[in-house]
C-alpha cells in the first residue's frame, strides 16, 4: 500500500485508539480486518481510495465481522455498536464513569499540592515544596487518569512510572539552594519532561507510532484551550468570591490564595483532559479556526520583531528580560505550529495557509538566530551561567526544529513530498525536547553546585 493509504489507515487507527472501550489488541485486530477488506476490494478492481472508504464503512456497520467479534467479546462495551440505542446508553455510562474517575484524580491532584499542610509539616517552606514537587504531583494524577481510562498494560504503567519516580527522587534528594537558579530551571524542565511522559500514558504505550504522537500533539493543543477557558472562569469565580464576601465583612484572602487557586489549578489539569476526550468534537470544529486566526497574528508579530531588531541593533545591552520574552514568543510559535499541523487534514491540497505557515517558520528562524547571537554575545561578555546555557540550549533545540520544519514545509509546498513527512519530522523530534529537559534536570544542578 502507498503512503497516502497508510496515512489514512494510521488516522483511522488513531481514532479507534482514543476510544476507551477498545483495547490495543482490539484495534490491531480491527486494523487487520480493515486491511483484508481493502486488499479484497482492490483485487476486485477498486482504487485505493474507493477500497478504503468502503472498507471503513463495512467495519463500522453491522456486518459479519462485527457480529463475530461481538460474540467473541460479549463482555466488552463496543459490541453495543450493533444497536444505536444501546450504543448511546453505553456511551452515557462510559461518560459517567470517566467523569467520576477524572473528578477523583482532580481532587487528588488538588490535595497533593497541599501535602505539607495536610501532613502537619507547618514549618515546611511551601515555595520550595511547590518548586520541587508540584509538577510531578499534579501530572502523576493526570497520567494515572489516562492509564486507568485506557486500561493500560503493566508494561505501560512501568514505563510511565519510572520517569516520575526518578523525578521525585532527584528533586527531593538534590541539595538545591533555596529558590536557587538551578532549582527554578529544573522545575521548569520537569514540566516538559513529565508532560511528554504523560504523553506515553495518553498513547497507551504506543510512543513509537508517529500517528499516536500526532494525536498526542493534538490532545496537547486541545487540552491547553480547555485549560485556558477553565482558568478564565476560575479567575472570575475567585474575584467574585473575594468581592462578595468582602462586601459582607468576611475576609477570604487566605482561603482563595492558599487553597482555592492552587487546588483548583491542579484539579483543572485533569478536568481539562477529561473535557478533551468527552467533548472532542467541539474542539475539533474550532481548532482550524483558532490556527487560522493566530497564525497570521504571530507571523506579523515575528516580522515586527525582525524589523525592530534591524532598527535597534544588538539585544545584548537590553538584558535577559528581553531575551526571555523573545524565547516565550518562539515557544508559543512552535506550539502553534505543532497544533496547526495536528489540526490539518493531511489529504488537503497545498494552499495559502501552508505558505503562510512557511513564512511564520522562516520568520521564527530569523528571530531565533538573533536571540542566539545575543545569548552568545552575553556569554562572551559576562561569562557562562546556568541560566545562559539553559537558554542557549533551548534556542539551539528550537533552531533545529524550525530549520527541519521549514525544509519539509518547503518540499511539501513544492509538491516534492507529502504532508505526512512534515508530521513525521515534528513527531520524530519530540524526544529531543525530552532529552534536553533531562539534561537540565539531572546535569545542570551538580555542574553549577545546586546554586
Amino acid at each position: 500500500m502507498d503512503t497516502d493509504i497508510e496515512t489514512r489507515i494510521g488516522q483511522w487507527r488513531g481514532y479507534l485508539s482514543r476510544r476507551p472501550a477498545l483495547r490495543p489488541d482490539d484495534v490491531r485486530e480491527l486494523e487487520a480486518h480493515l486491511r483484508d477488506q481493502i486488499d479484497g476490494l482492490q483485487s476486485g478492481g477498486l482504487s485505493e481510495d474507493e477500497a478504503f472508504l468502503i472498507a471503513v464503512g463495512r467495519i463500522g456497520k453491522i456486518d459479519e465481522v462485527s457480529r463475530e467479534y461481538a460474540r467473541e467479546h460479549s463482555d466488552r462495551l463496543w459490541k453495543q455498536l450493533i444497536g444505536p440505542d444501546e450504543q448511546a446508553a453505553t456511551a452515557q455510562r462510559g461518560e459517567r464513569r470517566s467523569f467520576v474517575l477524572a473528578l477523583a484524580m482532580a481532587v487528588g491532584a488538588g490535595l497533593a499540592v497541599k501535602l505539607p499542610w495536610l501532613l502537619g509539616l507547618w514549618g515546611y517552606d511551601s515555595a520550595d515544596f511547590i518548586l520541587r514537587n508540584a509538577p510531578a504531583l499534579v501530572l502523576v494524577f493526570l497520567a494515572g487518569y489516562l492509564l486507568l481510562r485506557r486500561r493500560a498494560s503493566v508494561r505501560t504503567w512501568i514505563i510511565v512510572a519510572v520517569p516520575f519516580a526518578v523525578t521525585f527522587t532527584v528533586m527531593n534528594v538534590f541539595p538545591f539552594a533555596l529558590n536557587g537558579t538551578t532549582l527554578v530551571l529544573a522545575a521548569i524542565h520537569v514540566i516538559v519532561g513529565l508532560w511528554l511522559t504523560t504523553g506515553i500514558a495518553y498513547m497507551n504505550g504506543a510512543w513509537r507510532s508517529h500517528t499516536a504522537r500526532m494525536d498526542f500533539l493534538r490532545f496537547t493543543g486541545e487540552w491547553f484551550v480547555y485549560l485556558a477557558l477553565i482558568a478564565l472562569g476560575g479567575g472570575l469565580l475567585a474575584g467574585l468570591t473575594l468581592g462578595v464576601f468582602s462586601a459582607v465583612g468576611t475576609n477570604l484572602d487566605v482561603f482563595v490564595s492558599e487553597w482555592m487557586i492552587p487546588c483548583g489549578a491542579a484539579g483543572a489539569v485533569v478536568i481539562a483532559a477529561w473535557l478533551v476526550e468527552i467533548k472532542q468534537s467541539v474542539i475539533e470544529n474550532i481548532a482550524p479556526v483558532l490556527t487560522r486566526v493566530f497564525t497570521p497574528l504571530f507571523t506579523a508579530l515575528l516580522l515586527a520583531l525582525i524589523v525592530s531588531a534591524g532598527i535597534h541593533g544588538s539585544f545584548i545591552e537590553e538584558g535577559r528580560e528581553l531575551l526571555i520574552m523573545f524565547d516565550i514568543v518562539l515557544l508559543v510559535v512552535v506550539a502553534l505550529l505543532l497544533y496547526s499541523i495536528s489540526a490539518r487534514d493531511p489529504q488537503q491540497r497545498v494552499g495559502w495557509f501552508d505558505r503562510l505557515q512557511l513564512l511564520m517558520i522562516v520568520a521564527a528562524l530569523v528571530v531565533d538566530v538573533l536571540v542566539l547571537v545575543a545569548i552568545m554575545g552575553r556569554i562572551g561578555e559576562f561569562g557562562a551561567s546556568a541560566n545562559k546555557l539553559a537558554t542557549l540550549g533551548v534556542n539551539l533545540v528550537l533552531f533545529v526544529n524550525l530549520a527541519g520544519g521549514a525544509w519539509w514545509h518547503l518540499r511539501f509546498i513544492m509538491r516534492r513530498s507529502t504532508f505526512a513527512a512534515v508530521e513525521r519530522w515534528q513527531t520524530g523530534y519530540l524526544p529531543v525536547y525530552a532529552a534536553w529537559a533531562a539534561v537540565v534536570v539531572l546535569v545542570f544542578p551538580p555542574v553549577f553546585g545546586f546554586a
Side-chain angles (χ1 to χ4, degrees):
M1 294 183 183
D2 65 18
T3 305
D4 287 343
I5 200 69
E6 287 294 340
T7 301
R8 288 190 174 197
I9 293 174
Q11 291 173 333
W12 176 85
R13 182 176 57 242
Y15 177 83
L16 291 186
S17 299
R18 295 198 298 273
R19 307 278 78 79
L22 292 178
R23 295 175 178 173
D25 289 344
D26 300 338
V27 177
R28 282 193 288 272
E29 185 163 347
L30 286 172
E31 182 180 344
H33 288 312
L34 179 71
R35 290 181 181 276
D36 290 342
Q37 290 276 346
I38 293 174
D39 290 340
L41 290 167
Q42 281 190 283
S43 64
L46 294 183
S47 68
E48 284 193 335
D49 286 343
E50 292 169 336
F52 175 77
L53 292 173
I54 293 174
V56 168
R58 287 181 177 178
I59 293 293
K61 293 180 180 177
I62 305 170
D63 66 356
E64 188 58 26
V65 174
S66 297
R67 288 178 189 278
E68 289 179 1
Y69 206 81
R71 282 197 295 271
E72 292 174 7
H73 302 264
S74 58
D75 60 332
R76 308 292 298 279
L77 294 176
W78 77 274
K79 70 173 186 173
Q80 304 296 343
L81 290 169
I82 292 174
D85 293 339
E86 292 174 272
Q87 180 187 7
T90 299
Q92 289 179 353
R93 288 196 294 272
E95 285 187 15
R96 283 197 294 270
R97 282 196 293 269
S98 69
F99 174 70
V100 171
L101 175 61
L103 186 61
M105 290 297 179
V107 171
L111 294 177
V113 297
K114 301 298 292 184
L115 202 57
W117 189 91
L118 293 172
L119 295 177
L121 303 175
W122 307 106
Y124 208 95
D125 187 282
S126 58
D128 186 69
F129 174 82
I130 291 294
L131 279 174
R132 288 176 183 263
N133 297 298
L137 284 174
V138 173
L139 290 178
V140 74
F141 282 94
L142 175 57
Y145 163 72
L146 294 170
L147 289 168
L148 288 171
R149 186 166 160 77
R150 282 155 178 70
R151 304 171 187 175
S153 65
V154 174
R155 178 176 175 275
T156 304
W157 275 92
I158 293 173
I159 292 174
V160 174
V162 169
F164 276 97
V166 171
T167 301
F168 273 120
T169 303
V170 167
M171 293 299 286
N172 288 283
V173 169
F174 275 4
F176 290 109
L178 192 62
N179 298 323
T181 299
T182 55
L183 173 58
V184 175
L185 286 173
I188 293 171
H189 288 79
V190 158
I191 297 173
V192 177
L194 290 186
W195 180 258
L196 294 175
T197 302
T198 303
I200 297 175
Y202 177 83
M203 293 180 276
N204 202 6
W207 56 276
R208 291 187 179 88
S209 166
H210 286 287
T211 303
R213 290 184 188 184
M214 187 52 64
D215 287 338
F216 173 61
L217 289 177
R218 189 179 300 111
F219 165 80
T220 301
E222 295 166 0
W223 171 86
F224 181 79
V225 172
Y226 272 118
L227 190 67
L229 293 175
I230 294 174
L232 288 173
L236 179 62
L237 177 64
L240 288 174
T241 301
L242 287 173
V244 168
F245 279 92
S246 176
V248 297
T250 303
N251 188 342
L252 291 183
D253 288 359
V254 174
F255 168 74
V256 170
S257 62
E258 296 187 8
W259 283 93
M260 185 175 177
I261 292 177
C263 294
V269 170
V270 180
I271 296 300
W274 173 77
L275 285 170
V276 171
E277 302 217 287
I278 297 301
K279 306 296 182 184
Q280 195 169 14
S281 60
V282 176
I283 290 294
E284 282 178 348
N285 290 333
I286 66 171
V289 178
L290 290 175
T291 58
R292 277 167 170 71
V293 168
F294 286 103
T295 297
L297 295 176
F298 273 93
T299 303
L301 173 61
L302 291 168
L303 294 174
L305 289 175
I306 294 171
V307 172
S308 174
I311 297 172
H312 187 275
S314 172
F315 296 131
I316 298 176
E317 297 81 7
E318 298 298 332
R320 66 175 187 173
E321 287 76 16
L322 180 62
L323 297 178
I324 291 172
M325 291 303 298
F326 273 44
D327 274 342
I328 291 173
V329 171
L330 286 173
L331 289 170
V332 173
V333 167
V334 170
L336 179 62
L337 174 66
L338 294 176
Y339 189 43
S340 300
I341 291 172
S342 71
R344 188 188 189 282
D345 180 1
Q347 306 303 320
Q348 188 179 341
R349 293 179 180 275
V350 174
W352 66 269
F353 190 72
D354 299 300
R355 298 181 178 87
L356 178 63
Q357 277 190 323
L358 178 59
L359 176 61
M360 182 179 75
I361 296 171
V362 172
L365 265 175
V366 174
V367 171
D368 198 12
V369 169
L370 293 173
V371 174
L372 281 169
V373 170
I375 293 171
M376 287 187 284
R378 289 183 64 82
I379 291 175
E381 185 172 349
F382 304 111
S385 68
N387 265 331
K388 295 188 186 79
L389 291 181
T391 307
L392 178 65
V394 75
N395 277 278
L396 287 173
V397 170
L398 290 174
F399 178 81
V400 176
N401 191 0
L402 290 168
W407 169 250
W408 287 109
H409 256 84
L410 180 62
R411 287 180 60 82
F412 171 63
I413 289 173
M414 296 175 69
R415 294 177 174 79
R416 293 182 179 177
S417 181
T418 64
F419 194 74
V422 177
E423 292 182 332
R424 280 197 296 274
W425 165 256
Q426 296 296 350
T427 56
Y429 199 75
L430 289 179
V432 176
Y433 287 97
W436 176 247
V439 168
V440 176
V441 174
L442 301 174
V443 178
F444 269 47
V447 168
F448 290 95
F450 304 101

